Amino acid sequence: MVRLLVAQPSSARSAHKKGKQNGALDASQPPNDMLLPWPQHQNTNGLRRQKRDWVIPPINVPENSRGPFPQQLVRIRSDKDNDIPIRYSITGVGADQPPMEVFSIDSMSGRMYVTRPMDREERASYHLRAHAVDMNGNKVENPIDLYIYVIDMNDNRPEFINQVYNGSVDEGSKPGTYVMTVTANDADDGTTANGMVRYRIVTQTPQSPSQNMFTINSETGDIVTVAAGLDREKVQQYTVIVQATDMEGNLNYGLSNTATAIITVTDVNDNPPEFTASTYSGEVPENQVEVVVANLTVMDRDQPHSPNWNAFYRIISGDPSGHFSIRTDPVTNEGMVTVVKAVDYELNRAFMLTVMVSNQAPLASGIQMSFQSTAGVTISVVDVNEAPYFPSNHKLIRLEEGVPSGTVLTTFSAVDPDRFMQQAVRYSKLSDPANWLHINATNGQITTAAVLDRESLYIKNNVYEATFLAADNGIPPASGTGTLQIYLIDINDNAPELLPKEAQICERPGLNAINITAADADVDPNIGPYVFELPFVPAAVRKNWTITRLNGDYAQLSLRILYLEAGMYDVPITVTDSGNPPLSNTSIIKVKVCPCDENGDCTTIGAVAAAGLGTSAIVAILICIVILLTMVLLFVVWMKRREKERHTKQLLIDPEDDVRDNILKYDEEGGGEEDQDYDLSQLQQPEAMEHVLSKAPGVRRVDERPVGAEPQYPVRPVVPHPGDIGDFISEGLRAADNDPTAPPYDSLLVFDYEGSGSTAGSVSSLNSSSSGDQDYDYLNDWGPRFKKLADMYGGGEED
């Protein structure tokens, strides 16, 4: 409890000695505690001294007080309350601002109260202002500031930020290595012991290799190693219980809380990989690649599938040619010795490899490789039957074309690589497009079976290509192929051919000429320059024609005489090439001689005349063409007329509704073949209504509604009787026969169409009596056509 005293000058203090005591805060005597924040002083001359404000010391209130409430804190009064009535009030947070009414004041006496327990963690201080007014609300004194502080009590435990902390430390770490930090917060005042937290380790699990592997900084919460011997292969994880206590760690007075720190021992490469065996063996067939011949197993105690555990294999000796490589299985960490380059049994029957294994990550400092990180691998090569091969493949030979059949060209032999097997090799043709060659089956000698022609379609760029097969008699047999290429040297074996084969020229010289040349299947030097000549026989050739040389490959054929009658002429020309020896060929060129216009082009009439046809022949051809066109036109007109007649005779109704089709569909019998000769016009749709209206009354087509009066047919009696049925059918048949409009071949059409107002009774009139005792035996008297009905309705109880 603090007692507050308002000090005054001595002159003023003497004026208040009569029963007045300056305000003070005294918790032991609350009613007598008061503050005089607004003292006013007067000098001896009666002049009013200037008013001055007083600074009120802070008011301290302990939190969590148990009351009773309201609990008086202080009394505030002005020295003017002796002269006039004064009303007191307070404003600020906790009074008239949220939180509301934490503090209150007696407006008359000035006593201020706290109305409920305080919580420093909710609000540590309050700033209020005290006001004094008269009964009219006029300000008597200036507002005075009141500061209220809530005194902290140790009512909050330390709270860890996380209930579980995770940290890690490398195995083999030295003492003092930082691991992790745990943090706890206390809501109490951190400047007092209530909020000062200290840490300590309660337990460690497991307690191996020591029960105190870690320690914690009591103030910062840093956990560090305190002992050596962390080994992941023995203990992979530690669980540490950490306690935080306030009151500076005083376990007797402080509040405590705990959290769990999980410390994982991380792996370092402190264990080199070691082979599980000192030697390994395997075998591989020769000439095979991508084959696994041996699996190398290793053991590594480091963390699986980590760089400290992943194995890397290396062949350090025994494979200078690089036939093998070792790949690591990512799942099992085994080394798979794989053939990457084919091995040959005839060269190496076995391989002795030295293999070393290491990790993907380097070993930790101070760790040495083990002797068991090196092993030997023995690989045996298995001999297999290898196919013979041609040493020179493709083999190229050169010779002139035209060599006779049976000529020996070369020996195309193969080699069997199986030196340690006694095997025979036999040869055969695999591909010989022109069938020009023959190969000896035992020694591979190749001879010609036909004359080789460089101009053949099977030759490409002067080269003929054939493929041969060499097979041994091993088990299983093996074979190889070889290609022989024959380059054919050209000889002059093809005479030149005259070009073009046909041409035209004007009947008079000087207007135009024919350019001629030659084509030779041979190549240089067995082609041009060519010599073009006209033969001496027949003599008319040289008389009518002449050849003028243009260059080595071209010449001109023109008329020698002044006029040559239009027509087709065969002109022989002899062409000679420049080969050694030269070859000649006499070719015929068909020349059309025709009259020409001023431009030197054949006219149309001249072209026809040049074809060898006279005027009379041309006229005859034109007449034949006209006659042929006339016959075609007449035939088309006749066909159209016939088609029109056929259409006019067809029914205009759908074939499915045709009366004749309906009759034939139900297999109705007519009157025999004699009755088939009838007038079809009775079944056609009338084109006009006049003849229909004038038509005698009677039955018409089933798809045509009668227009005139209906024929009078007998009405069927309501009550059926065998005699009535027979008479009814007879009368209906007689009326239909006498009806000129009814089809003559089928009187049943009378009953196919009832129409409106038909004299024929409805089918519904054939109903039976409503009683179930009606006798249907009379149906047996109506003849065989009603036998089925008699069986159905007259069976009685037998059904």
Side-chain angles (χ1 to χ4, degrees):
M1 297 307 221
V2 179
R3 183 178 182 85
L4 299 179
L5 177 65
V6 179
Q8 293 183 352
S10 60
S11 59
R13 187 180 302 121
S14 62
H16 292 279
K17 288 183 179 179
K18 296 180 179 180
K20 292 185 179 180
Q21 185 177 358
N22 293 331
L25 178 61
D26 190 352
S28 61
Q29 297 177 350
N32 299 324
D33 293 341
M34 67 180 68
L35 292 176
L36 297 175
W38 299 289
Q40 295 195 6
H41 307 279
Q42 207 170 19
N43 57 13
T44 57
N45 297 327
L47 297 177
R48 184 181 298 271
R49 297 182 60 189
Q50 183 180 3
K51 182 177 25 177
R52 61 179 181 178
D53 294 338
W54 293 82
V55 178
I56 306 302
I59 303 172
N60 295 322
V61 179
E63 67 172 333
N64 303 323
S65 175
R66 298 183 179 181
F69 296 100
Q71 182 179 3
Q72 181 177 333
L73 296 180
V74 70
R75 181 183 179 187
I76 301 173
R77 64 180 297 270
S78 172
D79 55 1
K80 291 183 180 181
D81 60 355
N82 295 326
D83 301 328
I84 59 174
I86 297 178
R87 299 180 65 88
Y88 300 96
S89 64
I90 56 175
T91 59
V93 176
D96 60 346
Q97 298 178 20
M100 308 285 286
E101 299 179 352
V102 177
F103 302 96
S104 65
I105 189 170
D106 189 325
S107 61
M108 300 304 294
S109 64
R111 290 184 175 89
M112 191 173 71
Y113 302 92
V114 59
T115 62
R116 60 190 182 202
M118 308 293 286
D119 187 357
R120 194 203 66 84
E121 287 71 39
E122 181 180 349
R123 191 175 184 89
S125 65
Y126 296 87
H127 178 204
L128 303 177
R129 305 199 78 181
H131 304 270
V133 297
D134 59 14
M135 300 306 291
N136 294 325
N138 297 319
K139 182 173 68 171
V140 176
E141 305 285 356
N142 290 328
I144 295 299
D145 292 326
L146 298 177
Y147 293 94
I148 302 173
Y149 294 102
V150 182
I151 301 175
D152 182 48
M153 308 294 288
N154 189 19
D155 58 346
N156 291 278
R157 293 179 180 275
E159 296 291 340
F160 283 95
I161 297 177
N162 300 312
Q163 195 58 36
V164 177
Y165 290 84
N166 291 285
S168 62
V169 62
D170 290 341
E171 62 176 332
S173 296
K174 297 179 180 179
T177 303
Y178 171 80
V179 180
M180 62 194 302
T181 299
V182 297
T183 303
N185 297 324
D186 197 319
D188 293 325
D189 190 356
T191 61
T192 66
N194 297 336
M196 294 182 180
V197 180
R198 297 295 182 264
Y199 303 91
R200 73 185 187 94
I201 293 177
V202 180
T203 60
Q204 167 195 306
T205 305
Q207 298 180 359
S208 173
S210 170
Q211 62 180 359
N212 295 319
M213 295 298 297
F214 306 95
T215 185
I216 188 170
N217 188 305
S218 62
E219 295 184 1
T220 63
D222 293 340
I223 300 177
V224 296
T225 59
V226 71
L230 289 173
D231 191 351
R232 190 204 65 86
E233 286 73 37
K234 296 180 180 179
V235 178
Q236 299 183 4
Q237 190 178 84
Y238 290 90
T239 301
V240 177
I241 304 300
V242 180
Q243 184 182 58
T245 306
D246 58 14
M247 298 300 291
E248 296 183 297
N250 191 322
L251 298 178
N252 295 324
Y253 304 104
L255 302 177
S256 301
N257 213 339
T258 60
T260 301
I262 298 177
I263 302 174
T264 301
V265 181
T266 56
D267 183 50
V268 297
N269 194 13
D270 57 346
N271 294 282
E274 298 178 349
F275 285 103
T276 59
S278 58
T279 58
Y280 298 87
S281 63
E283 63 179 17
V284 57
E286 62 175 334
N287 301 322
Q288 291 190 11
V289 294
E290 298 300 326
V291 178
V292 178
V293 298
N295 288 332
L296 311 181
T297 57
V298 296
M299 180 184 63
D300 195 323
R301 292 187 296 272
D302 290 322
Q303 183 176 358
H305 306 289
S306 68
N308 300 328
W309 179 82
N310 295 334
F312 174 74
Y313 299 88
R314 183 165 53 95
I315 299 175
I316 59 178
S317 64
D319 184 23
S321 300
H323 291 282
F324 305 95
S325 70
I326 304 178
R327 302 167 183 171
T328 304
D329 189 315
V331 178
T332 63
N333 214 28
E334 294 181 354
M336 300 178 293
V337 182
T338 308
V339 182
V340 295
K341 182 179 178 181
V343 296
D344 190 353
Y345 176 82
E346 284 70 30
L347 298 179
N348 299 99
R349 300 188 183 184
F351 292 87
M352 301 294 295
L353 307 180
T354 301
V355 180
M356 176 179 289
V357 61
S358 59
N359 289 125
Q360 183 178 350
L363 290 174
S365 177
I367 304 300
Q368 300 295 327
M369 290 293 294
S370 171
F371 290 105
Q372 295 179 349
S373 297
T374 304
V377 182
T378 302
I379 300 176
S380 301
V381 181
V382 179
D383 189 18
V384 296
N385 185 25
E386 300 177 77
Y389 66 95
F390 291 89
S392 55
N393 192 20
H394 302 27
K395 184 175 183 178
L396 177 66
I397 61 175
R398 300 171 62 92
L399 73 154
E400 288 186 348
E401 62 173 330
V403 294
S405 176
T407 303
V408 177
L409 301 182
T410 185
T411 298
F412 197 27
S413 58
V415 176
D416 192 347
D418 297 316
R419 294 178 298 172
F420 303 101
M421 298 181 182
Q422 299 299 325
Q423 298 178 152
V425 178
R426 298 189 63 82
Y427 303 91
S428 61
K429 284 194 305 182
L430 189 62
S431 172
D432 184 12
N435 201 22
W436 286 346
L437 305 176
H438 172 75
I439 187 169
N440 189 293
T442 57
N443 58 16
Q445 188 181 66
I446 297 176
T447 57
T448 58
V451 177
L452 277 62
D453 184 7
R454 192 199 65 83
E455 291 75 30
S456 172
L457 297 177
Y458 302 103
I459 301 296
K460 295 181 180 180
N461 298 325
N462 300 328
V463 175
Y464 180 73
E465 191 170 277
T467 306
F468 299 92
L469 183 71
D472 59 21
N473 57 352
I475 300 175
S479 60
T481 60
T483 301
L484 178 66
Q485 293 179 331
I486 304 175
Y487 184 89
L488 296 178
I489 302 173
D490 183 48
I491 63 174
N492 193 20
D493 57 346
N494 292 278
E497 292 288 337
L498 182 67
L499 294 177
K501 299 296 183 181
E502 296 181 356
Q504 67 180 17
I505 194 172
C506 295
E507 59 186 3
R508 298 186 182 278
L511 294 179
N512 58 5
I514 301 172
N515 292 330
I516 58 176
T517 185
D520 197 328
D522 294 323
V523 295
D524 191 67
N526 298 318
I527 49 176
Y530 301 103
V531 177
F532 301 92
E533 296 177 319
L534 293 173
F536 292 95
V537 178
V541 174
R542 285 181 170 263
K543 176 182 177 181
N544 296 334
W545 305 91
T546 182
I547 292 179
T548 304
R549 182 182 179 88
L550 296 179
N551 53 38
D553 296 330
Y554 290 91
Q556 277 190 346
L557 175 66
S558 59
L559 287 174
R560 179 185 293 272
I561 60 180
L562 297 179
Y563 172 77
L564 184 62
E565 182 179 359
M568 295 294 297
Y569 294 88
D570 292 338
V571 181
I573 298 177
T574 301
V575 185
T576 306
D577 60 21
S578 298
N580 186 18
L583 293 181
S584 300
N585 181 31
T586 301
S587 303
I588 301 296
I589 179 173
K590 292 183 176 297
V591 181
K592 180 169 63 176
V593 179
C594 59
C596 297
D597 54 15
E598 61 274 6
N599 297 325
D601 298 327
C602 283
T603 61
T604 304
I605 298 177
V608 175
L613 297 178
T615 305
S616 59
I618 296 174
V619 172
I621 292 174
L622 294 177
I623 293 174
C624 291
I625 293 174
V626 171
I627 293 174
L628 181 60
L629 293 176
T630 303
M631 293 178 63
V632 172
L633 181 61
L634 292 176
F635 178 75
V636 171
V637 171
W638 178 76
M639 289 296 295
K640 287 185 174 293
R641 182 175 181 183
R642 182 177 179 185
E643 184 71 17
K644 183 177 181 181
E645 291 177 354
R646 185 174 65 84
H647 280 294
T648 56
K649 294 181 181 180
Q650 291 182 347
L651 291 174
L652 299 180
I653 61 174
D654 189 88
E656 294 294 333
D657 298 332
D658 193 282
V659 177
R660 294 166 295 171
D661 289 346
N662 289 335
I663 295 171
L664 295 175
K665 185 181 296 184
Y666 290 97
D667 299 328
E668 298 290 346
E669 295 188 14
E673 293 180 357
E674 296 178 358
D675 196 27
Q676 300 300 316
D677 188 13
Y678 49 82
D679 184 11
L680 295 178
S681 63
Q682 298 292 333
L683 302 178
Q684 305 302 325
Q685 178 74 28
E687 298 179 359
M689 300 300 296
E690 289 78 12
H691 75 282
V692 176
L693 295 174
S694 62
K695 187 176 180 181
V699 179
R700 291 168 175 78
R701 290 175 43 195
V702 295
D703 58 334
E704 175 187 348
R705 186 176 183 83
V707 180
E710 297 290 336
Q712 298 298 323
Y713 286 90
V715 180
R716 182 179 178 186
V718 178
V719 179
H721 188 273
D724 294 339
I725 292 298
D727 295 340
F728 175 77
I729 293 176
S730 299
E731 291 176 5
L733 180 59
R734 190 181 305 108
D737 292 339
N738 295 328
D739 186 2
T741 64
Y745 59 91
D746 198 344
S747 61
L748 293 182
L749 289 176
V750 174
F751 309 104
D752 287 346
Y753 181 81
E754 291 182 346
S756 62
S758 176
T759 58
S762 174
V763 179
S764 62
S765 63
L766 297 177
N767 59 348
S768 60
S769 175
S770 60
S771 64
D773 299 334
Q774 185 174 349
D775 185 10
Y776 294 96
D777 292 338
Y778 62 84
L779 294 175
N780 294 321
D781 300 333
W782 289 4
R785 294 191 177 184
F786 295 92
K787 186 176 184 303
K788 185 64 176 178
L789 289 175
D791 294 340
M792 294 174 60
Y793 291 92
E797 297 177 355
E798 295 179 0
D799 296 339

